Structure formats: C-alpha cells, structure tokens
Amino acid sequence: MNRSILLLSLLFLPLFTLGQEVSELSKETAVAEALEKNFGIVIARNELEIADANSSILNSRFLPIISATAGFNYSNEDQEVTFRNGEVNAVNGAETERYNAALNLNYTLFDGLGRWYDYKRFKEQYNLSELQVRQTIETTLLQLFTVYFEVARLRENVTVLEQTYSNTQDRLTRVQYQFDYGQVNKLEVLNAEVDLVTDSINLINGRQLLRNAKRDLTVVLNSELEREFTVDTAVAFLNPVRMEDYYEQAPENNVDLLIAQSNIQVSDYSYKAAKSVYLPTLNLNGSYGWNEGQFPVTSFATSSTSTGLSVGLSLNWNLFDGGTGITNVKTARILKENQEIFEKQLIVELSRNLANARGNYRNSLEIYRLQRKNVLTAQDNYERSAERYKLGQISSVELRLAQINLLNSQTNRNLAKYQAKLAELELLQLSGQLLNVEF
C-alpha cells in the first residue's frame, strides 16, 4: 500500500472508534429523567407545595386562636395606710404576691367576607400553580426534544459522513493502484487525497458537534456530563385528522390561556376581599382563668383566689380609615380589568400562533417528503456515476460532485425530518396536547 494511504488510514482510524455508545437513551427514558431531575421542573413542584400549604384551612383564618398565659408578680414595699377612723397602720417590707393562669380564645365571627374570598383565592392560586407546573413541564419537554432531536440529527449526519469518508478512501485506494499500473495520472491521486482530507475534517467536526449536543442534553436531564449514550433516530408523525382535532380544541386546552383565566379568577377574589373593608368585624373572646393573690396586713384581705369563665363579643366598624381601604379596592378592580384585557390579547395572539404553527407543520412535512425523494434520486445518481467512473466514462471531479450531492441531500433530509417533528410538537404544545400523546 502507498505510504500516503497507510498514513491517512492510521491517522483517521481512531475516528471510527471514538465515542462509542454503551446504551440507548430512548425518548421515554429521556422524558422520565427530565420529569424527575430537571431543575426547572423540581423548582416548579416546590412552588406547588407552597401553594398547597397556603390553600390549607390552616391558612384561612377560619380557625380560632387559642393561647395560654401565666404570670407571677411580687412586690416588697413600705406601706402606710390611714383608715377612716383615723387609725394609721404602717408596715415596712410589705410583701404582695400575685399568680395568674388563663386559657384564652379569640375568634372572628364575621369580617366582611374578607377571609372567605381570601380562602377561595388561595384555592385558585393552587390551581394556578398546577397550571404553571404544567407550563414548565411543557416548555422543558419542548426544550428536551429540541436537543434530543439535534443529537439524533447529528448522529445520522456522522453516519453519512462516515460513509462518505469510506467511499472516498476506497476511491483513493483504487486510483493509487491505477496510478501504480500507469492507468491514471498523478492528478487523480492528488484529487482523491484532497477529498479524503476534506471528508476527514468534516467527520471530525461532525463528531465534535455531536459530543457538544450530547452535553447539552445531559444538562437538560440534570445527568452526568460525560455520560455515554445513543439516541433513537426513529420519528413517527401523528395522524393528520387527530392534529386537526387538537387544533380546533386549542382554545379550551392551551395552558397559557388557562393560566390567564385563572389569574382573572384570582384577581376577582382579591377585589371582593378588598371590599370587605366596607363591612364591620364581629369578634368572639373567651377566657378561662385562675388568679391568686397574697397581700400584706395593710390590705383589707390577706389572700384571694378566683377561677372562672369569661365570654365577650366585640363589634368593630371602621367607618373611615383615611382612604387606604378605598384605594385598595380601586387598585384591585383595575388589576382585575388588566387581567381581562391580557386574556383578550392572549386569545388574539394564540389564534395567530396556532395558524402559523399549523402552516409551519404542513410546510415542514412537505419539505421532508421532497427531501426523502431527493435522497433516492441522489443515491441513484451517485451509484450510476460510480459505475461510470470505474469504466472510465467520467472524471473524478464528476464523481465527487455526485458524492457531494448525495451528502447534501442526506443531511438536508435529516434536518427536514427533525424540523417537521419539532413543528408537530410546537403545534401540540399550543393545542394543549403535548402531555397527552406518545413521543
């Protein structure tokens, strides 16, 4: 074998063994790992736990406040007491001791319905948090598949580049033998060597891009950075009839629109709760206590003990609080109106985004269909050109052109395939069905 061929073979042989995968990361496994460990999803679930705690009856102010108190007081004083009959009683170091303990209850019977609407607001905020978790999951899954399909595309591109490199290497071997036997000139050998170096560089760059994309995927999965894996390159598209049904149902299922509607409900409860400032507050107070005192001789009694229950009602009506309550009510009403305006804006934008997404999806599918057909044409052209090249009917330049056309058609097909699938996923997300289909 020619020295240059041997040198190139030894130089690029490691490329075929570099980065060998040990396991396949399926789409289902990738989704499961993202749902379990993705940072954004974990944070969103923690926020949901906070909303759940806030919506509990324990945070509603519907339960009474029960407290226990106890105390002790001691005094040591010099006292002088003059009675009505003129008798004077003086004591130095008169000691007084008082003890008390009580169990107290405070309960708001009525507060103008403020706590009732606050409680309903907390419940609605929990529903809102659930929708926000769903929104985070949908966004993360779309990000996941964007990176996952990029890895798959680059993996298929590397396979194409490896095949291109192998074909060019075979061509270099053939023309080297032909040159040794005087059948071709040196120019054919040099052209093949240049093309082999070009294909080698393309392969090196392709593999580096693949490694980078894999690291991007491990970040989304919150996984080991240098994890070795391969991905599933098979892509299946949903039935067009089902996609049309999802499209028609989008206004009822789109998560952004559902969040906007939930925000309107939260604002409505806040507005109603703010208006409770116009109504009175009725409180119930109760106490069961024990009191004991030890008194000096200057007192009428030497000791006293009392045990008993006390109950009381108090009504408080804030007729004017300086304008703070009125201002809060106006602000809450405006905030509610803003949420309603935002919903209308979102409906208009959703209609546009859905129409664009459906158009992009149909366009991407058609491009993918044409690119697949183009690959068949380019493959047939390359095979015919290779046969004609062996018979000496075309030059190496013409064969190289057919080879490049095949390479470009294959990489364009790979790009079109995954772009079409991502367009489908984006349409599913807008339709609110991304979590309801198999990937």
Side-chain angles (χ1 to χ4, degrees), residues 75-135:
S75 64
N76 189 316
E77 301 171 324
D78 295 335
Q79 297 181 354
E80 182 177 308
V81 179
T82 302
F83 297 98
R84 291 183 181 276
N85 59 7
E87 181 182 350
V88 177
N89 189 3
V91 177
N92 293 328
E95 294 183 344
T96 303
E97 297 179 2
R98 289 185 175 88
Y99 305 87
N100 65 83
L103 190 63
N104 307 303
L105 179 141
N106 293 285
Y107 185 64
T108 300
L109 297 175
F110 181 75
D111 69 342
L113 298 177
R115 63 181 175 180
W116 167 249
Y117 288 115
D118 282 340
Y119 181 62
K120 296 184 72 172
R121 176 169 58 86
F122 288 140
K123 287 293 185 182
E124 186 59 37
Q125 283 178 333
Y126 176 77
N127 296 332
L128 176 60
S129 294
E130 283 188 319
L131 290 172
Q132 289 171 338
V133 170
R134 173 186 158 188
Q135 182 186 51

Side-chain angles (χ1 to χ4, degrees), residues 170-182:
D170 291 342
R171 173 182 144 215
L172 176 59
T173 302
R174 182 179 297 108
V175 298
Q176 184 64 58
Y177 281 129
Q178 290 174 336
F179 174 75
D180 291 342
Y181 287 100

Side-chain angles (χ1 to χ4, degrees), residues 208-259:
Q208 183 60 43
L209 291 174
L210 177 59
R211 284 191 291 267
N212 294 344
K214 284 185 174 182
R215 293 189 186 100
D216 293 338
L217 183 55
T218 60
V219 171
V220 177
L221 298 176
N222 188 18
S223 180
E224 182 182 350
L225 188 62
E226 299 300 333
R227 176 179 177 182
E228 292 293 339
F229 61 89
T230 186
V231 296
D232 182 9
T233 58
V235 169
F237 295 94
L238 294 179
N239 188 300
V241 176
R242 288 182 64 192
M243 292 297 295
E244 283 301 311
D245 290 340
Y246 293 155
Y247 177 84
E248 296 297 332
Q249 299 167 7
E252 291 80 30
N253 298 313
N254 178 268
V255 68
D256 293 329
L257 192 56
L258 293 175
I259 287 176

Side-chain angles (χ1 to χ4, degrees), residues 81-360:
V81 179
T82 302
F83 297 98
R84 291 183 181 276
N85 59 7
E87 181 182 350
V88 177
N89 189 3
V91 177
N92 293 328
E95 294 183 344
T96 303
E97 297 179 2
R98 289 185 175 88
Y99 305 87
N100 65 83
L103 190 63
N104 307 303
L105 179 141
N106 293 285
Y107 185 64
T108 300
L109 297 175
F110 181 75
D111 69 342
L113 298 177
R115 63 181 175 180
W116 167 249
Y117 288 115
D118 282 340
Y119 181 62
K120 296 184 72 172
R121 176 169 58 86
F122 288 140
K123 287 293 185 182
E124 186 59 37
Q125 283 178 333
Y126 176 77
N127 296 332
L128 176 60
S129 294
E130 283 188 319
L131 290 172
Q132 289 171 338
V133 170
R134 173 186 158 188
Q135 182 186 51
T136 300
I137 291 175
E138 288 184 1
T139 302
T140 302
L141 288 184
L142 197 59
Q143 178 190 16
L144 166 67
F145 280 111
T146 299
V147 182
Y148 186 95
F149 288 140
E150 179 65 5
V151 174
R153 183 184 73 85
L154 292 172
R155 174 65 267 181
E156 290 193 308
N157 283 357
V158 166
T159 300
V160 171
L161 291 171
E162 289 173 346
Q163 183 60 49
T164 302
Y165 174 86
S166 177
N167 291 337
T168 305
Q169 193 175 44
D170 291 342
R171 173 182 144 215
L172 176 59
T173 302
R174 182 179 297 108
V175 298
Q176 184 64 58
Y177 281 129
Q178 290 174 336
F179 174 75
D180 291 342
Y181 287 100
Q183 297 177 353
V184 296
N185 57 34
K186 184 64 175 178
L187 181 62
E188 291 289 331
V189 178
L190 295 176
N191 285 337
E193 288 181 348
V194 170
D195 292 340
L196 185 62
V197 171
T198 300
D199 292 344
S200 301
I201 293 173
N202 291 337
L203 184 55
I204 291 173
N205 290 333
R207 283 179 167 149
Q208 183 60 43
L209 291 174
L210 177 59
R211 284 191 291 267
N212 294 344
K214 284 185 174 182
R215 293 189 186 100
D216 293 338
L217 183 55
T218 60
V219 171
V220 177
L221 298 176
N222 188 18
S223 180
E224 182 182 350
L225 188 62
E226 299 300 333
R227 176 179 177 182
E228 292 293 339
F229 61 89
T230 186
V231 296
D232 182 9
T233 58
V235 169
F237 295 94
L238 294 179
N239 188 300
V241 176
R242 288 182 64 192
M243 292 297 295
E244 283 301 311
D245 290 340
Y246 293 155
Y247 177 84
E248 296 297 332
Q249 299 167 7
E252 291 80 30
N253 298 313
N254 178 268
V255 68
D256 293 329
L257 192 56
L258 293 175
I259 287 176
Q261 293 168 354
S262 182
N263 277 322
I264 291 176
Q265 192 63 61
V266 169
S267 299
D268 182 60
Y269 290 141
S270 296
Y271 173 57
K272 292 177 178 178
K275 290 197 296 183
S276 66
V277 71
Y278 298 140
L279 298 176
T281 300
L282 181 62
N283 293 309
L284 170 67
N285 303 299
S287 176
Y288 184 83
W290 164 78
N291 293 274
E292 180 178 326
Q294 303 292 331
F295 309 111
V297 295
T298 54
S299 299
F300 292 101
T302 59
S303 65
S304 70
T305 301
S306 64
T307 303
L309 176 68
S310 63
V311 178
L313 288 174
S314 61
L315 178 69
N316 180 41
W317 198 335
N318 206 350
L319 299 178
F320 183 69
D321 64 354
T324 301
I326 296 175
T327 302
N328 290 338
V329 171
K330 288 183 177 179
T331 301
R333 177 178 54 80
I334 295 172
L335 290 175
K336 178 186 174 184
E337 292 176 355
N338 284 344
Q339 291 295 338
E340 292 171 345
I341 294 172
F342 177 72
E343 181 194 23
K344 293 177 182 178
Q345 177 187 359
L346 196 60
I347 291 174
V348 174
E349 293 178 351
L350 177 61
S351 299
R352 178 203 61 193
N353 294 340
L354 278 169
N356 290 344
R358 182 169 64 170
N360 291 339

